Amino acid sequence: MISRRNERTSVRAALVSGAAVLFTLPQPVFAAEEQIVELGDVVVTASRVSQQIKDAPVAIGVVSEQELDKVKARNPQEFLSRVPGINSSNFGGESELTSIRIPTHFTNPYTIMLVDGVQYSSYGSGSSSQFREINPKNIERIEVIKGPASALYGSNAIGGIINVITKEPSTTPQAKIWTELGDYQQWRTGVSGSGRADKLSFFIDANHTDTDGSREHSEVDKQSGSVKVNYTATDESLLTFKIDYITVENDSPGSIYQDDFEEDWLQSYHNFAYSKADRVAPALSYSHYLDDAEMRATFVLRDTDEESIPNYSIRQLTYGPFPRPYIGSYTENDSLDMSLQLLYSQDVSLWRSKVIVGLDTERGSKDSKTYDLAVSYNSILNKYESYTLGDLDKSYDITSEVAAPYLQLESSPWEKVRISVGARYDSARYEVEDELSSGTENAESFSKTSPKVGVTYDINANLNTYASYSKGFVVPTTSQLWTSRYDNADLDAENAENYEIGLRSSFLKKRLKLDFSVYDMTITDKIVVDNSPAPNTHYVNAGKSSQKGAEVMASYAPLDSVQLSVAYTYARNKYESYVDQGVDYSGNWQPRSPKHHLNARLVILPVDGVEVELEMDEVSSQFADDANLFEYTRPTLFNLRASYDWQNFTFWGHILNLTDKEHANYISYSASEDTMSLYPGVARTAFVGLSYSFGGAN
């Protein structure tokens, strides 16, 4: 067995001990919270500076702090499913794969994860498990911008942006301690606090998760710590230092074939596949405010160590005339990423105009090593039971550099009209040194200009509409360019073009709210897998796809104590042109692309301090393969949540998968077995929790 890497003892030990202070920021009293933001509410992700939502010509979803506190999510899928247009698949614990509007898999990063406006994953990485290395208890709210956002955020943003906005210090001393127990040996607990002294204010949090999970081989052990300190030198300036420390170990049960799923849907073929990550992420930000201008500089450092035995790497070799051995791989990645963001925003009196100009730079380095494994398979138990570490198979030293200036102009030549135009120029370069091939070096460069234009119109105080046009792109990941020693250096960036219209409204004294959008997106030079040179993986720009859809968010509160909220997605995701090894898939549905997704929540406040929520999640059928021969329909799932506030205490009880339905969160096609592979979801699981707040909470 490979010995797990020892914890770093200097900087990281100090961070953990510092984050263990027993204080926390309290949560507000429960109320029937609305998911849909008000037309006058302020968001920051759509333009990088504060603006009213009615001035943003894009589809926006917001998950509020109250909503997050209500859900108390054990994985991101629990709250992301409440936002239309998002498809999030959970793989156990906090391991997930999330995309906006575009069907995805592990190597195609179509959605960017930001933390306080800064990308949180390495440039050129995939799209899985982006939430895993975030402190779940340091989230104030989440803003979701749907559609290509490359004009502000660059590559990988063609599906959209998920911006996690972290908690701010309170003006008065506040604290809370909490704990939660659940089925399958699940335990979570945390402490944190906040306060202010003169010009200094702080927020600090530490929490721990330990669970066996409802499925075989799905244990999770995670510790998170966060510290944020604000220093207000003058009324016009703000200096912020924050640091996050995350360590997480997640077993990887993997998918199972359809016949095995139907026999025992919670089984796993694996005994030792896992992933582990340790991350330290300090950030320093300075903002200076004038009457009509804002200047901001943000520097972020991300130091991440990862090790894994991926479940998908463990298999039996299938080529050749004789029986082949069972193999796998062990991977180590040591990454250091540095980001610097500069922004200047200037208000202009003419037509209520605003000019936003900025520069994003990033430099990343990663030392990646992969070792061969000889795997022992027990055919009676149908388990991969043990392994022996083999030779070093791959060793890459990867460097990435990005520089991207951008410009955005906003203006209102007429009182009810707001026009926004902008563009960003991205220049990205990869340098890869193959340390096993006498230091052989490869380099690839990509450059792209991404424009956008949008307009909003206030029909009246309760009704707002918008239209927009935008372009975006996705550069190939380093794994797509250099995979299994096969040269994919001819890959080009994928390109997206999007048209969108939307409507936002609020009626009946805000008791009835509606947010509606329709979009039409085309992706060209789509990167797909050409399996002809097996066993090596060859990626090619061989596809064109169309993404068309409609998204609805609605809420209605007929009484002060009753609220119904609905999130509905209609998505038509098809290949316009795609031919692989002589097989034409043009016109077929893209895998993992259900046409309909409906999430509905009924919230009732029967007595003072008590809130009960029943959630229903319905997904229509979807295909697992490009040929559309294997189809899966997930059963309807229900979740029940209840909470009670009494003085400084909050009690809660949740039941996930209330009717205990056997279901899969993710499906794919296994060509070697000519069958569908399914990644099981969570069995019925009950949780109970208790928190106590100090100093003005509840």
Side-chain angles (χ1 to χ4, degrees):
M1 189 76 175
I2 298 173
S3 61
R4 304 292 170 87
R5 196 173 303 159
N6 292 331
E7 301 289 341
R8 293 187 175 182
T9 57
S10 56
V11 175
R12 295 186 176 181
L15 292 174
V16 174
S17 60
V21 177
L22 301 180
F23 295 101
T24 189
L25 183 67
Q27 306 296 330
V29 178
F30 262 105
E33 293 297 332
E34 293 122 353
Q35 181 86 358
I36 303 175
V37 293
E38 298 288 343
L39 299 182
D41 281 355
V42 172
V43 293
V44 298
T45 310
S47 65
R48 290 200 178 216
V49 297
S50 299
Q51 70 174 156
Q52 291 184 333
I53 193 171
K54 69 183 184 66
D55 292 334
V58 293
I60 299 175
V62 176
V63 184
S64 67
E65 185 177 12
Q66 291 79 15
E67 193 80 11
L68 291 167
D69 186 62
K70 176 195 301 181
V71 175
K72 293 181 170 60
R74 290 94 199 156
N75 63 76
Q77 186 182 36
E78 290 185 53
F79 56 80
L80 291 177
S81 62
R82 298 169 173 238
V83 180
I86 293 187
N87 183 19
S88 182
S89 301
N90 177 250
F91 301 106
E94 295 186 27
S95 178
E96 45 76 35
L97 178 63
T98 297
S99 65
I100 301 176
R101 291 185 173 174
I102 306 172
T104 190
H105 55 82
F106 297 101
T107 59
N108 283 109
Y110 292 131
T111 299
I112 288 184
M113 171 73 67
L114 307 175
V115 175
D116 292 329
V118 181
Q119 188 166 339
Y120 211 60
S121 58
S122 300
Y123 197 88
S125 62
S127 56
S128 62
S129 298
Q130 298 191 81
F131 273 93
R132 182 186 63 176
E133 292 157 29
I134 292 177
N135 181 355
K137 292 300 179 181
N138 187 27
I139 303 177
E140 182 170 295
R141 70 183 187 277
I142 297 174
E143 296 182 359
V144 180
I145 305 300
K146 290 175 277 188
S150 295
L152 275 178
Y153 293 102
S155 175
N156 300 11
I158 63 174
I161 298 292
I162 299 176
N163 188 14
V164 173
I165 299 172
T166 60
K167 292 183 178 180
E168 289 293 331
S170 61
T171 57
T172 58
Q174 298 180 358
K176 180 163 69 177
I177 184 168
W178 63 275
T179 192
E180 179 187 79
L181 299 174
D183 292 333
Y184 308 106
Q185 307 284 330
Q186 303 198 58
W187 176 57
R188 300 192 300 171
T189 191
V191 291
S192 47
S194 186
R196 180 173 182 171
D198 196 18
K199 296 182 178 182
L200 282 174
S201 57
F202 73 93
F203 171 81
I204 189 166
D205 174 89
N207 60 84
H208 174 70
T209 297
D210 189 3
T211 174
D212 287 350
S214 62
R215 191 181 169 204
E216 289 183 349
H217 191 63
S218 60
E219 292 85 355
V220 179
D221 187 8
K222 178 176 180 177
Q223 295 87 42
S224 305
S226 299
V227 176
K228 177 183 280 189
V229 178
N230 287 345
Y231 176 66
T232 309
T234 66
D235 292 339
E236 295 81 23
S237 64
L238 175 65
L239 181 66
T240 298
F241 172 77
K242 66 174 184 176
I243 189 165
D244 294 319
Y245 171 76
I246 310 292
T247 179
V248 56
E249 186 167 355
N250 207 136
D251 286 346
S252 301
S255 60
I256 54 178
Y257 299 132
Q258 185 171 2
D259 289 345
D260 293 325
F261 180 88
E262 293 172 355
E263 178 183 347
D264 178 6
W265 73 295
L266 295 178
Q267 67 175 296
S268 170
Y269 302 148
H270 301 279
N271 277 351
F272 54 81
Y274 75 99
S275 63
K276 181 180 180 181
D278 297 318
R279 168 173 284 198
V280 174
L284 184 64
S285 177
Y286 176 75
S287 299
H288 190 79
Y289 304 92
L290 301 175
D291 291 339
D292 57 359
E294 175 184 351
M295 293 173 286
R296 188 192 314 152
T298 303
F299 176 76
V300 177
L301 182 69
R302 300 183 299 274
D303 182 6
T304 309
D305 287 350
E306 299 172 296
E307 61 179 69
S308 66
I309 299 178
N311 57 69
Y312 52 80
S313 76
I314 302 173
R315 65 194 188 280
Q316 184 180 23
L317 294 177
T318 55
Y319 61 90
F322 303 106
R324 310 293 293 180
Y326 290 89
I327 64 168
S329 63
Y330 166 75
T331 300
E332 293 180 344
N333 291 318
D334 294 335
S335 304
L336 183 65
D337 301 292
M338 294 177 287
S339 299
L340 175 63
Q341 292 186 349
L342 304 175
L343 179 144
Y344 177 77
S345 172
Q346 176 70 56
D347 292 331
V348 180
S349 59
L350 179 65
W351 296 341
R352 196 166 56 89
S353 301
K354 182 184 289 288
V355 179
I356 303 169
V357 60
L359 174 67
D360 291 350
T361 64
E362 181 173 334
R363 177 178 174 83
S365 62
K366 179 168 72 172
D367 181 16
S368 179
K369 291 181 171 59
T370 300
Y371 296 83
D372 290 328
L373 300 181
V375 175
S376 174
Y377 175 70
N378 187 322
S379 59
I380 298 176
L381 298 177
N382 195 21
K383 299 279 187 186
Y384 299 106
E385 288 194 321
S386 60
Y387 62 87
T388 302
L389 183 64
D391 296 331
L392 180 64
D393 177 54
K394 290 180 286 185
S395 181
Y396 292 129
D397 186 7
I398 304 170
T399 301
S400 61
E401 294 181 341
V402 182
Y406 59 88
L407 173 66
Q408 178 165 306
L409 306 175
E410 300 176 9
S411 187
S412 297
W414 301 278
E415 181 181 358
K416 296 184 177 183
V417 176
R418 187 74 170 169
I419 298 173
S420 173
V421 297
R424 168 171 162 145
Y425 176 76
D426 279 77
S427 176
R429 177 178 174 82
Y430 296 135
E431 292 183 359
V432 176
E433 180 180 349
D434 188 342
E435 298 177 349
L436 290 184
S437 299
S438 302
T440 302
E441 295 185 359
N442 294 284
E444 291 293 331
S445 297
F446 301 89
S447 60
K448 187 73 66 172
T449 299
S450 303
K452 71 168 187 175
V453 59
V455 58
T456 64
Y457 176 64
D458 297 331
I459 299 174
N460 57 48
N462 299 315
L463 193 59
N464 169 268
T465 186
Y466 64 89
S468 66
Y469 168 80
S470 58
K471 283 189 173 183
F473 71 101
V474 176
V475 300
T477 65
T478 54
S479 62
Q480 290 171 338
L481 288 166
W482 299 280
T483 299
S484 300
R485 300 184 185 280
Y486 199 94
D487 185 9
N488 298 314
D490 293 333
L491 284 179
D492 293 325
E494 298 185 29
N495 297 281
E497 188 174 32
N498 184 71
Y499 299 86
E500 184 167 342
I501 59 174
L503 184 72
R504 295 180 277 246
S505 61
S506 175
F507 300 105
L508 302 177
K509 297 182 178 179
K510 302 181 181 179
R511 288 186 178 275
L512 175 62
K513 300 181 183 180
L514 176 67
D515 193 326
F516 174 74
S517 60
V518 178
Y519 63 91
D520 186 344
M521 186 193 321
T522 301
I523 300 177
T524 56
D525 295 323
K526 192 172 181 67
I527 297 176
V528 296
V529 177
D530 175 10
N531 293 307
S532 57
N536 294 320
T537 302
H538 186 201
Y539 292 95
V540 294
N541 295 103
K544 177 181 178 181
S545 66
S546 68
Q547 280 67 229
K548 305 175 188 291
E551 298 159 354
V552 178
M553 280 288 298
S555 69
Y556 177 53
L559 304 171
D560 292 341
S561 58
V562 178
Q563 181 181 19
L564 176 65
S565 299
V566 173
Y568 170 72
T569 303
Y570 168 80
R572 179 193 175 276
N573 299 313
K574 290 190 173 184
Y575 291 117
E576 292 296 311
S577 62
Y578 173 29
V579 178
D580 182 25
Q581 301 183 63
V583 180
D584 190 350
Y585 300 115
S586 302
N588 286 7
W589 286 85
Q590 297 176 63
R592 294 169 297 280
S593 178
K595 183 184 294 187
H596 306 284
H597 180 197
L598 175 65
N599 182 278
R601 288 96 58 198
L602 176 64
V603 176
I604 300 175
L605 308 175
V607 296
D608 187 32
V610 175
E611 178 172 312
V612 180
E613 179 192 78
L614 179 63
E615 177 185 20
M616 181 199 75
D617 197 78
E618 171 79 19
V619 177
S620 62
S621 62
Q622 55 190 298
F623 294 104
D625 61 322
D626 293 326
N628 292 176
L629 299 177
F630 293 87
E631 188 173 5
Y632 173 72
T633 302
R634 197 202 71 182
T636 304
L637 302 180
F638 293 90
N639 301 314
L640 180 64
R641 301 178 176 92
S643 66
Y644 173 53
D645 291 325
W646 178 72
Q647 295 184 3
N648 288 3
F649 290 95
T650 296
F651 307 86
W652 67 89
H654 295 177
I655 304 177
L656 304 183
N657 191 4
L658 181 64
T659 55
D660 202 19
K661 294 291 187 180
E662 299 180 4
H663 67 284
N665 280 329
Y666 185 88
I667 59 173
S668 60
Y669 172 65
S670 173
S672 62
E673 301 293 328
D674 191 30
T675 188
M676 185 162 51
S677 290
L678 302 98
Y679 207 110
V682 176
R684 179 169 55 207
T685 311
F687 303 88
V688 292
L690 170 67
S691 68
Y692 183 80
S693 302
F694 306 82
N698 286 356

